[in-house]
Amino acid sequence: MSRTRRWSLGRLALIVVLLSSVGFSVNAADRSLTKDVQETEAAAMAAPVSESPDWQAEMPVLTKAQEDALVAWAGNSHLPGPAIESKDEGLEIAAPVAGSESNPAPADKMDVPGPLAPGDAQIYRNVTFGSGFPSGTRSNIMESSVAENGKNVFYTGNWFAARSTNGGQGWTYINPAATMSDFCCDQVTLHDESRNMLLWYRQGSRNSSGVNRLRLSVSTDGGGSFCAYDVYPTNTNSGWTNQWWDYPHLQLGADYLYITTNMFDNSSSPQWTRTVMLRFPLDNLRACSSFSYNYLATTSWFTWVPVQGADHVMYFASNWPTSAPYNRISVWRWYEDQISTTSTVYTAPSWSRTGRNQAVCGSTNANWAARTDDRLLTGARYMLHNSNYKEPGRMVLGWWWNVKQGSGFGQPYINGFTIYENNLTPLSGAQGRPYLWNPDICFLYPSAAANKRGDLALVFDASTGSNMNPSVAYAIADDFTAVPPGFTYYTAQTGNARPSDNVWGDYNTVRAFLPTQDTWVGAGHTIQSGSNCAYCALPVLFNFGRARDYQSWNGWQDAAPPGWTTIVDTSFEGGFPGSWSVFDGLSGYGEYYWAKRGCRAYAGSYSGWAIGGGANGAALSCGSYYANYTRSWMTYGPFSLVGATAANMSFKLWLNSESCCDYVCRYASVDGSNWYGNCTSGYSNGWIDRVLDLANVYTIGDLRGRPQVWVAVQFYTDYSITYSEGAYLDNLLVRKCTSGSCPAQAMEEIGPDARLIDIPFALTADDPDRAPTYEGRPPKAATN
């Protein structure tokens, strides 16, 4: 590519608009005086190369060298900008306003079984990728991104790309480095509905000269094949030598793709040099042709974030000036039929400037807030709906970012800033600062998008309670809600642990679901294992909206066949754990969890052995005795039982355990933390059937109609007396019936020599190691 100069970069004449410290005020008549024109430059893009990914049914396993390189580069991306320490000195930090807290939805609304009212928030489908993901593709800096068009889903994270043609119910995978050898680490994916075009951005690692490339791959067949454009900094501007791209944002306008990225030098401690926006014509991208494009650069503001939902005008902003005062926000406007841009600078209510290792969520140990800073993270163009607001129906431009605790904020929170689109004046009062905060809840890493009605959705991470484990959550602001703040939020996926490596992020994703654009798709990550860990997160995909729009979304999903529909079928003959999460729930007594082993099998050659996996279990030979204090778990979910007329989990069980005290428990949950079901103890005398009826679960009752359900199997042993082998599972099946009735499952009779106890049991988050017990249990023997 060669570069031609179109315009010289205009001087940045910034006029500060003074605003109040709580809300905003500005004289609209003076608005034209705040506009500063910035002229752009032009460059040329060469024709792309072809790219044909080899999609695999199993996640590719990275080599040790690949893992080490990716881990090293992950720590060298998302780099901070110009130093901001003490930059809020002399500024009066705007404290939170009483009554503006964001709170979780009431328990009876958080996970509502049908029937639903039209305005009830609803998760239509919730997919957690299982622990079969190799460790090398499970970074706690997951950076989940998603593009969904009907049943076609393209999902990226660190370090993988995944593709589904059935709405996320089944996947194929690729290592992003397979077609980009220098890949690491940021990925973003978008779908342009008007052109039926998938866009996939990958960032490369810098070479010894301090140079990297971005690769933009374009597909018109849902990811089967691509044409790929490679852009090095010097391709855009020949003067940008020994520099590299970092931290991209991609958004669509009507006719252009907008890419923003920071640039850094090649010093031993890389320093930020500029912020760049590239504008690529979408028609040329779809045609896989060469083209000319415009770009804009600044050395006065760090990190530009474009809004999601732009049309023929793109708006982008920065909250990180390189000179005082540091509570300013600049907004740029770029008309698609113009070359130059204009900007407006605002003084915002001051927030606590936040650098790395300053935000603390719960504890500095396994602190998932440590990596964040306070650059802008997301922006959206949306509408004010609610009738109790004085000006409903006006389009609004909003941006959000992370801020550390302090100055009246008990926990890290998400700050916000909004202006009207038509005259660029700030909104007044609380609407001008649509933040998410609560004295007892951490909120971080927001992503924002509007649907075709202009309803706003936010996807973010939230944590509360004694453990402060990050969970994926969402909130909606529309005609069914009072005007936030505060927001009412809903948990999409509960996290069970924190990152032991003190890193998390760097972003979640929410987009309007295509093609209907009245609901949303969200992407994030959680830790599902029972203890804090590094490189152990699992990506999450979920579709959500209001109940009134469920049928609009469901019309683009596969119709359920009559009779039973399989949710998960695990015979242990293929890969395991696959979509199941396996872990040891009690540390300090060795590590044992469910694993595929060839010791016993009901059918085929393999079954799941309760103690056959983990650091200690993997070394056991067939016939070994199980250990005391075993807490071997396998969990699956969440999945939806909306529309189900029946549902159950069934499996074949072989059991040899201490009757009364060592159990195999089959559970269900509606939150992934509190478990209810039945436990079996004793001697099975061969293989027997066990079934958990999801329409009649101990304590929590009928789960039909629930949008989120989890199931689990646990092998529990107490403090003494062990037996050989313990427990095996085979032919495990979770299924639902979506027709009027489905045939019942045939059950094998239990042999006359079996000695079994089967009891109902609840295992709750407030007492996670409670022992199964029952009235009339015989006394336990004193020795093994």
Side-chain angles (χ1 to χ4, degrees):
M1 288 177 280
S2 62
R3 182 181 62 87
T4 59
R5 181 172 295 274
R6 182 74 63 86
W7 270 274
S8 62
L9 189 64
R11 292 179 300 173
L12 193 62
L14 304 177
I15 302 177
V16 177
V17 182
L18 297 179
L19 307 163
S20 71
S21 63
V22 175
F24 298 93
S25 62
V26 69
N27 185 348
D30 294 334
R31 176 55 42 200
S32 61
L33 299 179
T34 70
K35 296 177 183 176
D36 178 57
V37 177
Q38 286 96 58
E39 296 168 343
T40 65
E41 299 193 47
M45 179 76 77
V49 298
S50 62
E51 187 176 41
S52 298
D54 182 17
W55 296 100
Q56 302 291 322
E58 300 283 341
M59 177 66 70
V61 177
L62 305 182
T63 66
K64 185 62 167 60
Q66 287 175 321
E67 281 192 43
D68 291 345
L70 290 168
V71 169
W73 276 113
N76 286 281
S77 64
H78 193 80
L79 293 184
I84 57 170
E85 286 77 8
S86 303
K87 293 296 177 68
D88 51 11
E89 287 184 359
L91 299 176
E92 183 179 353
I93 306 301
V97 177
S100 64
E101 298 90 343
S102 291
N103 292 296
D108 62 344
K109 292 293 185 181
M110 185 66 78
D111 190 14
V112 186
L116 303 176
D120 284 336
Q122 182 179 5
I123 293 180
Y124 311 139
R125 175 175 290 152
N126 202 331
V127 178
T128 300
F129 295 76
S131 59
F133 261 39
S135 61
T137 53
R138 299 177 60 183
S139 172
N140 290 342
I141 313 172
M142 181 64 70
E143 300 180 333
S144 299
S145 183
V146 64
E148 184 170 23
N149 183 39
K151 294 182 292 185
N152 297 308
V153 189
F154 196 82
Y155 193 114
T156 62
N158 282 334
W159 294 280
F160 68 92
R163 178 187 181 212
S164 175
T165 59
N166 58 4
Q169 298 182 84
W171 296 91
T172 54
Y173 306 92
I174 191 174
N175 177 356
T179 55
M180 184 184 180
S181 59
D182 54 338
F183 162 74
C184 188
C185 295
D186 296 345
Q187 299 182 82
V188 181
T189 182
L190 284 167
H191 185 85
D192 178 8
E193 172 61 22
S194 65
R195 295 168 179 82
N196 191 28
M197 175 172 62
L198 175 68
L199 302 168
W200 179 23
Y201 178 107
R202 280 167 289 174
Q203 179 176 295
S205 56
R206 70 182 190 270
N207 61 25
S208 59
S209 299
V211 176
N212 73 346
R213 61 172 164 162
L214 67 85
R215 168 163 281 199
L216 180 66
S217 300
V218 180
S219 176
T220 56
D221 61 2
S225 61
F226 293 86
C227 65
Y229 297 88
D230 291 321
V231 185
Y232 293 86
T234 52
N235 296 144
T236 298
N237 187 311
S238 59
W240 294 349
T241 58
N242 306 111
Q243 298 177 61
W244 53 283
W245 313 111
D246 184 47
Y247 189 58
H249 285 80
L250 278 71
Q251 295 297 352
L252 296 169
D255 295 313
Y256 290 92
L257 169 69
Y258 297 83
I259 301 174
T260 66
T261 179
N262 296 319
M263 291 188 66
F264 288 84
D265 65 19
N266 192 35
S267 59
S268 57
S269 298
Q271 300 299 301
W272 172 77
T273 59
R274 63 183 50 82
T275 301
V276 179
M277 171 170 272
L278 312 174
R279 187 173 77 170
F280 294 165
L282 290 167
D283 287 340
N284 292 87
L285 290 175
R286 194 187 192 286
C288 291
S289 64
S290 58
F291 54 85
S292 296
Y293 64 95
N294 292 107
Y295 69 93
L296 182 68
T298 181
T299 57
S300 299
W301 296 85
F302 175 66
T303 300
W304 277 330
V305 173
V307 296
Q308 190 162 199
D311 192 8
H312 291 280
V313 184
M314 176 53 73
Y315 300 89
F316 52 104
S318 172
N319 70 341
W320 197 313
T322 58
S323 60
Y326 295 98
N327 61 331
R328 294 178 296 150
I329 295 176
S330 185
V331 177
W332 284 257
R333 178 166 59 181
W334 198 349
Y335 288 94
E336 294 205 324
D337 61 353
Q338 297 181 11
I339 302 300
S340 59
T341 69
T342 61
S343 69
T344 306
V345 182
Y346 305 83
T347 300
S350 299
W351 65 94
S352 298
R353 300 304 315 225
T354 305
R356 290 274 178 91
N357 299 310
Q358 293 181 351
V360 179
C361 187
S363 169
T364 56
N365 178 35
N367 175 23
W368 68 274
R371 182 175 163 87
T372 191
D373 56 35
D374 63 338
R375 76 185 76 191
L376 291 187
L377 292 176
T378 186
R381 176 176 176 261
Y382 63 101
M383 181 181 288
L384 291 178
H385 281 284
N386 202 274
S387 60
N388 67 9
Y389 193 67
K390 62 183 179 182
E391 295 181 284
R394 293 183 69 177
M395 296 303 295
V396 171
L397 308 171
W399 287 268
W400 289 264
W401 64 98
N402 297 338
V403 182
K404 68 183 178 182
Q405 67 287 342
S407 301
F409 294 92
Q411 304 291 344
Y413 67 99
I414 295 170
N415 207 8
F417 169 78
T418 59
I419 61 175
Y420 289 112
E421 181 184 24
N422 63 337
N423 61 9
L424 303 184
T425 59
L427 277 71
S428 61
Q431 279 297 291
R433 193 185 187 192
Y435 52 17
L436 288 89
W437 78 280
N438 187 292
D440 301 314
I441 303 173
C442 298
F443 296 107
L444 292 172
Y445 296 109
S447 180
N451 64 10
K452 67 182 179 184
R453 287 189 293 263
D455 305 337
L456 175 68
L458 293 167
V459 167
F460 47 89
D461 294 323
S463 66
T464 187
S466 59
N467 292 322
M468 284 293 184
N469 302 326
S471 298
V472 178
Y474 71 94
I476 300 173
D478 61 3
D479 51 326
F480 283 104
T481 61
V483 174
F487 291 87
T488 297
Y489 76 88
Y490 302 80
T491 300
Q493 174 66 271
T494 301
N496 294 330
R498 306 191 308 277
S500 62
D501 48 1
N502 276 19
V503 296
W504 199 252
D506 286 317
Y507 46 84
N508 298 300
T509 299
V510 63
R511 305 201 189 283
F513 172 77
L514 300 173
T516 59
Q517 300 186 54
D518 45 14
T519 64
W520 294 273
V521 56
H525 63 294
T526 62
I527 295 175
Q528 290 299 298
S529 63
S531 57
N532 300 339
C533 51
Y535 305 102
C536 57
L538 288 172
V540 177
L541 169 74
F542 62 106
N543 295 97
F544 68 99
R546 297 292 185 189
R548 65 179 172 187
D549 296 316
Y550 169 77
Q551 292 302 329
S552 173
W553 170 83
N554 192 53
W556 287 90
Q557 309 308 309
D558 286 322
W564 288 106
T565 298
T566 297
I567 297 170
V568 61
D569 185 356
T570 303
S571 67
F572 299 95
E573 298 304 311
F576 180 82
S579 55
W580 291 86
S581 292
V582 295
F583 57 92
D584 189 321
L586 185 63
S587 60
Y589 299 94
E591 184 182 60
Y592 303 91
Y593 47 71
W594 294 93
K596 171 184 173 180
R597 296 290 293 267
C599 300
R600 290 185 182 271
Y602 174 80
S605 303
Y606 299 95
S607 66
W609 192 13
I611 57 171
N616 298 92
L620 293 178
S621 59
C622 295
S624 295
Y625 278 61
Y626 59 82
N628 294 317
Y629 296 108
T630 298
R631 305 292 187 272
S632 177
W633 282 85
M634 53 185 289
T635 66
Y636 179 87
F639 55 89
S640 174
L641 292 183
V642 173
T645 59
N648 62 42
M649 174 174 69
S650 63
F651 53 81
K652 298 293 184 179
L653 172 66
W654 188 99
L655 182 63
N656 182 34
S657 70
E658 181 190 13
S659 183
C660 86
C661 305
D662 300 337
Y663 292 84
V664 169
C665 299
R666 55 197 187 275
Y667 295 126
S669 173
V670 295
D671 58 13
S673 298
N674 299 283
W675 300 94
Y676 306 88
N678 293 76
C679 298
T680 303
S681 177
Y683 173 61
S684 65
N685 189 30
W687 291 92
I688 61 172
D689 289 296
R690 297 287 89 172
V691 177
L692 180 65
D693 183 0
L694 298 178
N696 185 25
V697 179
Y698 176 62
T699 302
I700 55 176
D702 192 351
L703 305 189
R704 293 174 299 178
R706 292 272 186 174
Q708 294 190 92
V709 177
W710 288 257
V711 291
V713 182
Q714 181 200 29
F715 183 52
Y716 172 100
T717 72
D718 70 353
Y719 59 89
S720 69
I721 305 180
T722 64
Y723 288 72
S724 63
E725 301 187 78
Y728 299 92
L729 300 183
D730 210 345
N731 290 12
L732 193 157
L733 177 66
V734 182
R735 60 181 185 167
K736 63 182 178 181
C737 179
T738 53
S739 61
S741 62
C742 292
Q745 179 177 353
M747 304 285 288
E748 294 186 12
E749 292 187 3
I750 298 176
D753 295 328
R755 301 181 297 277
L756 294 173
I757 299 166
D758 197 82
I759 60 170
F761 184 61
L763 190 62
T764 57
D766 58 356
D767 189 10
D769 201 41
R770 180 183 170 215
T773 187
Y774 61 97
E775 185 176 351
R777 188 177 81 172
K780 180 178 172 64
T783 60
N784 194 20

